[in-house]
Amino acid sequence: LVLESTLPGIREEGERAQRLEAALRVAKELGSIPLRVFLERWYAQPMFGPIPDREALFDERMCQVPSGLAAAMTWLSVGRQPDFSSALGSAWKKPLLCLAGSLDGKYLRGMEALTARVDGGRFHAAVGSGHNIHRHDPRTFAARLSDFLGGY
């Protein structure tokens, strides 16, 4: 199992409800402002860190349909998902690689903590990367993935 900049879920019901509420606000905003404005705000979040190919990323994202993005925010929010923390704890017996960007504080701490609970789990912090390691540092991402998969 390879996880990039993610969490296994939210344990606390109240926090999960807050996360869903925030996702619903974002989904509503998507329908009320131009997509470019939304992207500027979204990627200004500190978790993304510097985006080296910002314009290329925005060009790709501008091809997306705002209503589809809003639906994804609404229905795929971690606020709707069960918490898989216990399933991905000490009972997990399969190979695990967790990757997080060093600039992605919350996810960095979460991925590191998750890896520490899994026997043989591997963790890598991509120095200078934000939330999207595969985009920010594709060589490091590919090398870590190749090293991990090459062992199986």
Side-chain angles (χ1 to χ4, degrees), residues 1-2 95 97 122 141-152:
L1 177 63
V2 176
L97 171 64
R122 294 191 212 172
F141 182 82
R144 295 295 177 219
L145 189 58
S146 179
D147 290 346
F148 178 72
L149 295 175
Y152 301 99

Side-chain angles (χ1 to χ4, degrees), residues 6-58:
T6 189
L7 298 173
I10 299 173
R11 291 181 189 196
E12 301 296 322
E13 186 69 35
E15 188 180 344
R16 208 166 30 250
Q18 288 176 339
R19 187 66 175 268
L20 178 57
E21 187 177 306
L24 294 174
R25 281 194 306 273
V26 169
K28 185 176 181 181
E29 181 183 29
L30 264 163
S32 65
I33 61 174
L35 181 56
R36 177 71 188 212
V37 172
F38 173 81
L39 294 172
E40 293 281 350
R41 291 179 186 172
W42 183 256
Y43 287 106
Q45 295 178 82
M47 68 188 255
F48 290 106
I51 301 171
D53 56 351
R54 182 181 169 88
E55 286 307 311
L57 172 66
F58 280 28

Side-chain angles (χ1 to χ4, degrees), residues 18 46 49 53 65 67 71 78 80 87 104 112 115 137 139 151:
Q18 288 176 339
D53 56 351
V65 178
S67 61
V78 71
R80 289 196 191 274
D104 189 5
E112 194 169 25
T115 307
D137 190 357
R139 287 189 175 152

Side-chain angles (χ1 to χ4, degrees), residues 50-124:
I51 301 171
D53 56 351
R54 182 181 169 88
E55 286 307 311
L57 172 66
F58 280 28
D59 287 346
E60 289 174 23
R61 299 292 189 251
M62 288 299 295
C63 296
Q64 295 176 321
V65 178
S67 61
L69 293 172
M73 282 287 186
T74 299
W75 297 106
L76 300 177
S77 167
V78 71
R80 289 196 191 274
Q81 297 173 15
D83 176 29
F84 293 104
S85 296
S86 60
L88 290 173
S90 60
W92 184 259
K93 300 299 181 204
K94 304 217 181 332
L96 174 68
L97 171 64
C98 294
L99 301 147
S102 66
L103 304 176
D104 189 5
K106 179 171 82 171
Y107 291 92
L108 175 72
R109 290 185 303 275
M111 301 294 317
E112 194 169 25
L114 173 61
T115 307
R117 293 194 327 257
V118 174
D119 287 338
R122 294 191 212 172
F123 172 74
H124 176 74

